[in-house]
Amino acid sequence: MDAFLHRIFAGLLRLVGKTYAMSPELPAGFLVHTLVRRLAWLLRALLRGRYKVFIGPGVKMSGGRRIKIGRFSTIGAHCQLDGYGREGLILGERVNIGDYTIIGITNHPSQLGKGLKIGSDSGVGQYSYFGALGGIEIGSNVIMGQYVSFHAASHVFDRTDIPIRMQASTDLGIRIDDDVWVGSKVTFLDGAHVGAHSVVAAGAVVRGTFPPYSVIGGVPAKLLKSRLNEASLNETPST
């Protein structure tokens, strides 16, 4: 029975375009539980008029016409998705949004936000947050841990004669290029740009531009070494 279920599960993975190999040690109970849950999530998406995607329980979507979800993508349980933006919310194929994640584009009637785009085969862990007022663009094959947050806007606080909330704000946007590994509890601030094939250490606070193949970490984040050069600029972080 275990071997039969493994063949079925492996076939389904190939069908949806997954390329990783299954562990032969997975018990039948785990496979059955996963299959039943996935079928329930697929049915839930069909009832919402969305095809070939998986939607967990308790998901809330606003601005649904501006939300585009690619094939075989997963929206985890109790996520909140806001599509109200100039460019809306666009998820590529096989994107995974972890449970309890919040995606917000327009949070106040004073300004229409830009939007969020995530490329195919990228994913973010549970309890993450995307504030996409100034726009967030994430490439393909980007893997992110839990509690990752993006803040694509910032307050100006130059004046002291009026409250900060009454001053201007910036909305430079945030960009993460293809094939980046982001550790848990990383915070990206407005204007951040991380080049392709980079690694961001857990707990980093990222602002500014970093070239491709960077290993960065710290508060504020700085370049620790290049993946193209084994000579470390500092001690390699734990990710």
Side-chain angles (χ1 to χ4, degrees), residues 183-231:
S184 63
K185 298 184 179 179
V186 171
T187 300
F188 293 95
L189 301 180
D190 193 33
H193 178 194
V194 178
H197 317 295
S198 294
V199 176
V200 184
V205 177
V206 184
R207 190 174 187 177
T209 300
F210 294 88
Y213 296 95
S214 295
V215 177
I216 66 178
V219 181
K222 61 181 179 179
L223 179 65
L224 300 174
K225 74 173 186 178
S226 171
R227 293 180 62 203
L228 297 176
N229 185 351
E230 291 299 322

Side-chain angles (χ1 to χ4, degrees), residues 11 27 59 61 76 98 103 152 172 192 227:
V59 171
M61 297 186 187
I103 297 175
L172 303 175
R227 293 180 62 203

Side-chain angles (χ1 to χ4, degrees), residues 31-222:
L31 298 177
V32 170
H33 171 75
T34 302
L35 286 171
V36 170
R37 184 182 64 174
R38 281 287 172 172
L39 287 172
W41 289 26
L42 180 63
L43 177 60
R44 185 178 292 108
L46 287 171
L47 293 175
R48 288 175 173 236
R50 296 186 180 271
Y51 303 96
K52 295 184 178 181
V53 299
F54 303 94
I55 297 180
V59 171
K60 297 180 180 179
M61 297 186 187
S62 57
R65 292 184 179 180
R66 296 171 182 250
I67 299 175
K68 301 184 185 303
I69 305 175
R71 295 187 311 159
F72 308 121
S73 290
T74 299
I75 309 300
H78 305 288
C79 289
Q80 298 180 37
L81 277 59
D82 166 23
Y84 288 118
R86 295 192 302 277
E87 298 180 4
L89 169 58
I90 302 174
L91 305 180
E93 296 185 350
R94 297 174 299 278
V95 170
N96 184 74
I97 305 297
D99 299 346
Y100 294 96
T101 292
I102 296 174
I103 297 175
I105 300 175
T106 298
N107 296 319
H108 194 275
S110 63
Q111 184 178 1
L112 180 65
K114 184 176 181 181
L116 168 65
K117 181 178 180 180
I118 301 180
S120 296
D121 298 298
S122 292
V124 64
Q126 299 93 331
Y127 298 98
S128 294
Y129 175 79
F130 295 82
L133 179 66
I136 301 171
E137 185 172 349
I138 296 172
S140 300
N141 297 298
V142 175
I143 54 176
M144 297 176 278
Q146 298 84 2
Y147 298 96
V148 175
S149 63
F150 294 79
H151 305 271
S154 183
H155 291 285
V156 174
F157 52 91
D158 295 337
R159 295 179 59 178
T160 59
D161 58 322
I162 58 174
I164 294 173
R165 68 176 181 82
M166 297 176 63
Q167 300 185 44
S169 62
T170 65
D171 53 359
L172 303 175
I174 297 171
R175 179 176 171 182
I176 311 296
D177 291 339
D178 296 344
D179 183 32
V180 173
W181 174 20
V182 178
S184 63
K185 298 184 179 179
V186 171
T187 300
F188 293 95
L189 301 180
D190 193 33
H193 178 194
V194 178
H197 317 295
S198 294
V199 176
V200 184
V205 177
V206 184
R207 190 174 187 177
T209 300
F210 294 88
Y213 296 95
S214 295
V215 177
I216 66 178
V219 181
K222 61 181 179 179

